[in-house]
Amino acid sequence: MIPAAPPESLPSLRVWQRKAMVSYHRGQSRDFLAVATPGAGKTTFALRIAYDLLADGTVDTVTVVCPTEHLKVQWSGAAARFGIQLDPAFRNSDVHSATDYHGVVLTYAQIGADPAVHRRRTLARRTLVILDEIHHAGDARSWGDGVKTAFEEAERRLALTGTPFRSDDNPIPFVGYEEYDDGAKRSRADSLYGYRDALADGVVRPVMFMAYSGQAKWRTSAGDELAVRLGEPLTKDLTSQAWRTALDPEGEWISQVIRAADRRLSSLRAAGIPDAGGLIIASDQNSARAYAGILKRVTGKSATIVLSDDAGSSEKIAKFAVSDQEWLVAVRMVSEGVDIPRLAVGVYATNAHTPLYFAQAIGRFVRSRRPGETASVFLPSVVPLLSLAENLEQDRDHVIKPKSEDQDPELLLEQAQRVLNEGTELGGQRETLESSAELDQVIFDGGSFGLPVQSGSHEEQEYLGLPGLLTPEQIHLLLQKRQREQMSKQGGGARTEVAERQTAEPPMTNAQRRLKLRKQLNALVGARSFATNEPHGKIHATLRSKCGGPPSAQATIEQLEERIAEIRSW
């Protein structure tokens, strides 16, 4: 059955989509992997390929496989614009779909539940299989094996992903891997369009990360009281517990960050993006409900709450996408694939920190509609998230590391016990005593801007009130200007009272000293960037290559002092 839409009515393609389409038709290969950053238009590209293959008789039917039930409806609606009718309500028990459909949309869970049904459908007709977010096929053995069983005889397979990497070594079905000298295997894309390229083309929005530190105090299950500063060098266990304390609805940290995010959203809506929306990503359903309550309490605004992957939630998301409502609170359902282009402000209120999950979550905010739109994501100032934010523009592949046959059994036991102990301790056996937030830094284009300021202060508002319609170059200039103004105020005579108070304070702790050095280093990097037009991230990378050591958020006092001396010598 030929698609109903005439060729001249099809959506226009972006440059990367046209290049990928030419590459696809030129190669005529059975398998093709297209990697494109979230918001770049993978769905449009795939449906154009489906249109061409149906029109020229290469295939008779199309099967789309995606991660969630909501995305099935989204794919069906997008396909209709190409004159391709896909059944989003197909169930395994149906065996066959109606004859006036060009194909079906399924989930990976459906395939894993009964791959034989879909194998028979694939064998019955020449089939194009579109595997959306293909990395999900490695989520469970049944899913990966099911996908291979169901579609190994397909006429064509088109794999799509915005994040072609996983946090494990499970191979992704129908993806080609190249083996390197060290024995590792790396996924190979047939078409690659990364975030940096999309940003340069104006296809996606630039993202500013508002990183909030602050104090966290809690009581352990043993009755001990611990107090730390979020974002300071801590053990993995302490970092996790401080992070959880900050996200606890019982503390003030999350309330202050939600209030700040709402101010940022109001600023965007008042200055060029009148329908801008915000999304709070929670770790679990109880937290999601509590965050919605906090939003109502501190701003007076109600939020749409999406808690589970069911038909009712799909309707809520669809309604929010076309409404003018300001806030959405969700757990995982909106973390990947869901298309709500007006989302411009996010609160990353979850302790998930795999590169895969982080990239998927940030992908919800980068979809560009018009030149100059920016996105702002608020997150805890902890090393795992800061590193991910600084490396947002880095293209990644899925790497399968070679297995060692002589791993130390004692080391394996230690790792297993550490994971178990952390899971037990973080599973709720602790009590939040208090928490507070302050804006620690703004991360943009791999660089860090600004000096720590208290939540609710005038200095914080200077960053929250940045205009919403800016080019990346203008964002750089404004962030540099804000940083210079902060440095000038802190060094001027107006700070006499603060200076006198500081002289009466006891000697600095290592944590305080390290924070002061990091501020100093960031200021020097900012000045260097302003003088040379080099990105902050590039200057930090040069310092690390010359002096060694990890990113500045993880660096020791000695390493920070060495980098300060190095940059002063330039």
Side-chain angles (χ1 to χ4, degrees):
M1 184 168 58
I2 305 298
E8 60 272 13
S9 70
L10 300 181
S12 58
L13 299 181
R14 292 167 174 159
V15 174
W16 84 262
Q17 293 166 328
R18 292 198 297 270
K19 290 181 178 178
M21 185 176 70
V22 170
S23 178
Y24 181 90
H25 288 308
R26 180 183 295 150
Q28 295 288 309
S29 59
R30 192 176 193 181
D31 289 297
F32 190 94
L33 173 61
V35 176
T37 189
K42 294 184 293 294
T43 301
T44 297
F45 162 71
L47 289 171
R48 178 54 190 266
I49 296 298
Y51 179 94
D52 292 346
L53 296 183
L54 286 169
D56 66 17
T58 300
V59 301
D60 305 311
T61 187
V62 176
T63 295
V64 176
V65 188
C66 59
T68 67
E69 289 289 331
H70 176 76
L71 290 179
K72 290 167 63 174
V73 178
Q74 195 166 292
W75 265 99
S76 179
R81 294 194 288 272
F82 287 79
I84 300 173
Q85 302 303 321
L86 300 178
D87 182 4
F90 181 87
R91 293 291 178 260
N92 291 353
S93 58
D94 295 339
V95 183
H96 301 290
S97 57
T99 57
D100 54 352
Y101 280 115
H102 292 91
V104 299
V105 193
L106 313 166
T107 63
Y108 287 100
Q110 270 184 273
I111 304 299
D114 197 346
V117 168
H118 306 288
R119 181 179 178 86
R120 288 194 294 270
R121 295 186 68 260
T122 303
L123 289 170
R125 304 175 71 189
R126 293 175 300 168
T127 303
L128 164 66
V129 180
I130 299 174
L131 297 160
D132 185 25
E133 303 298 353
I134 180 64
H135 53 269
H136 279 288
D139 281 354
R141 190 177 187 88
S142 62
W143 289 17
D145 292 345
V147 166
K148 286 187 285 188
T149 299
F151 304 123
E152 63 183 350
E153 299 299 330
E155 184 73 21
R156 295 285 183 89
R157 291 179 292 257
L158 174 56
L160 310 172
T161 183
T163 48
F165 54 92
R166 296 182 52 79
S167 301
D168 54 38
D169 288 340
N170 292 341
I172 304 172
F174 308 127
V175 169
Y177 288 84
E178 295 178 343
E179 187 165 347
Y180 285 71
D181 294 339
D182 61 358
K185 296 180 179 179
R186 187 181 298 273
S187 61
R188 181 185 67 253
D190 298 288
S191 174
L192 175 61
Y193 188 64
Y195 178 79
R196 183 178 291 275
D197 294 330
L199 188 62
D201 293 343
V203 170
V204 295
R205 295 171 178 152
V207 180
M208 287 188 293
F209 291 96
M210 307 291 194
Y212 276 74
S213 59
Q215 298 299 318
K217 184 177 181 181
W218 69 95
R219 181 181 292 115
T220 69
S221 57
D224 298 326
E225 293 187 4
L226 298 174
V228 302
R229 178 181 169 80
L230 191 70
E232 288 303 298
L234 301 168
T235 65
K236 182 179 178 182
D237 184 60
L238 282 177
T239 295
S240 297
Q241 294 188 57
W243 188 347
R244 185 174 289 269
T245 300
L247 298 182
D248 192 333
E250 296 299 319
E252 282 300 307
W253 188 95
I254 189 65
S255 298
Q256 292 169 347
V257 170
I258 287 176
R259 183 186 292 113
D262 183 69
R263 288 174 180 164
R264 178 62 181 155
L265 182 61
S266 297
S267 176
L268 294 180
R269 290 171 73 96
I273 314 179
D275 65 339
L279 168 64
I280 302 173
I281 303 176
S283 295
D284 54 64
Q285 296 189 7
N286 290 335
S287 295
R289 295 188 185 97
Y291 294 160
I294 290 172
L295 179 71
K296 180 69 174 178
R297 174 170 56 84
V298 301
T299 71
K301 300 174 183 178
S302 299
T304 295
I305 306 175
V306 177
L307 297 179
S308 60
D309 188 6
D310 56 28
S313 294
S314 294
E315 293 172 5
K316 285 183 179 180
I317 292 174
K319 184 177 180 180
F320 180 85
V322 298
S323 74
D324 192 46
Q325 188 175 0
E326 294 188 39
W327 282 101
L328 178 69
V329 182
V331 183
R332 282 185 173 271
M333 190 170 179
V334 192
S335 65
E336 181 179 32
V338 174
D339 188 10
I340 310 177
R342 68 187 190 89
L343 286 178
V345 174
V347 178
Y348 194 88
T350 172
N351 53 15
H353 58 278
T354 65
L356 176 61
Y357 186 87
F358 187 82
Q360 291 168 352
I362 302 307
R364 299 315 100 219
F365 306 99
V366 302
R367 297 175 184 270
S368 180
R369 300 177 299 175
R370 52 183 165 169
E373 286 190 344
T374 62
S376 303
V377 176
F378 292 69
L379 45 74
S381 185
V382 292
V383 169
L385 296 185
L386 296 179
S387 298
L388 291 171
E390 289 172 358
N391 294 311
L392 177 65
E393 298 182 13
Q394 177 181 336
D395 294 326
R396 292 183 174 93
D397 297 311
H398 181 217
V399 178
I400 300 178
K401 299 177 181 177
K403 296 185 182 296
S404 173
E405 297 181 358
D406 55 351
Q407 295 188 56
D408 183 355
E410 292 295 329
L411 178 60
L412 293 176
L413 178 60
E414 179 187 344
Q415 291 173 342
Q417 289 174 335
R418 183 169 66 247
V419 173
L420 177 62
N421 291 338
E422 287 175 359
T424 301
E425 179 62 36
L426 298 180
Q429 296 183 20
R430 41 166 300 287
E431 177 189 357
T432 295
L433 299 178
E434 61 182 74
S435 64
S436 61
E438 66 176 40
L439 178 58
D440 185 36
Q441 59 182 302
V442 178
I443 297 175
F444 179 74
D445 193 24
S448 175
F449 299 84
L451 307 178
V453 296
Q454 288 298 319
S455 176
S457 66
H458 172 73
E459 289 83 358
E460 179 195 43
Q461 188 57 41
E462 289 291 310
Y463 287 99
L464 299 180
L466 289 171
L469 295 175
L470 295 171
T471 65
E473 293 75 17
Q474 289 172 327
I475 295 175
H476 263 293
L477 289 173
L478 272 178
L479 289 175
Q480 290 170 343
K481 180 174 181 290
R482 293 283 188 271
Q483 182 168 276
R484 288 197 303 272
E485 290 171 350
Q486 278 188 285
M487 293 170 61
S488 175
K489 289 179 181 178
Q490 290 200 6
R495 304 284 298 183
T496 302
E497 180 181 346
V498 174
E500 291 175 351
R501 187 174 68 247
Q502 288 176 340
T503 59
E505 292 177 351
M508 287 189 294
T509 64
N510 280 353
Q512 293 168 330
R513 185 180 171 197
R514 182 188 164 282
L515 178 62
K516 180 178 180 181
L517 290 171
R518 202 180 83 189
K519 293 178 184 178
Q520 191 175 356
L521 177 61
N522 286 340
L524 290 168
V525 168
R528 175 76 179 182
S529 175
F530 181 75
T532 64
N533 288 324
E534 287 183 280
H536 285 224
K538 184 177 180 181
I539 298 172
H540 277 292
T542 302
L543 288 170
R544 286 180 60 192
S545 67
K546 289 190 175 184
C547 303
S552 58
Q554 301 165 271
T556 65
I557 289 175
E558 291 74 15
Q559 289 168 335
L560 290 171
E561 289 175 336
E562 185 179 0
R563 293 176 197 180
I564 289 171
E566 173 65 28
I567 194 172
R568 280 177 169 167
S569 69
W570 293 356

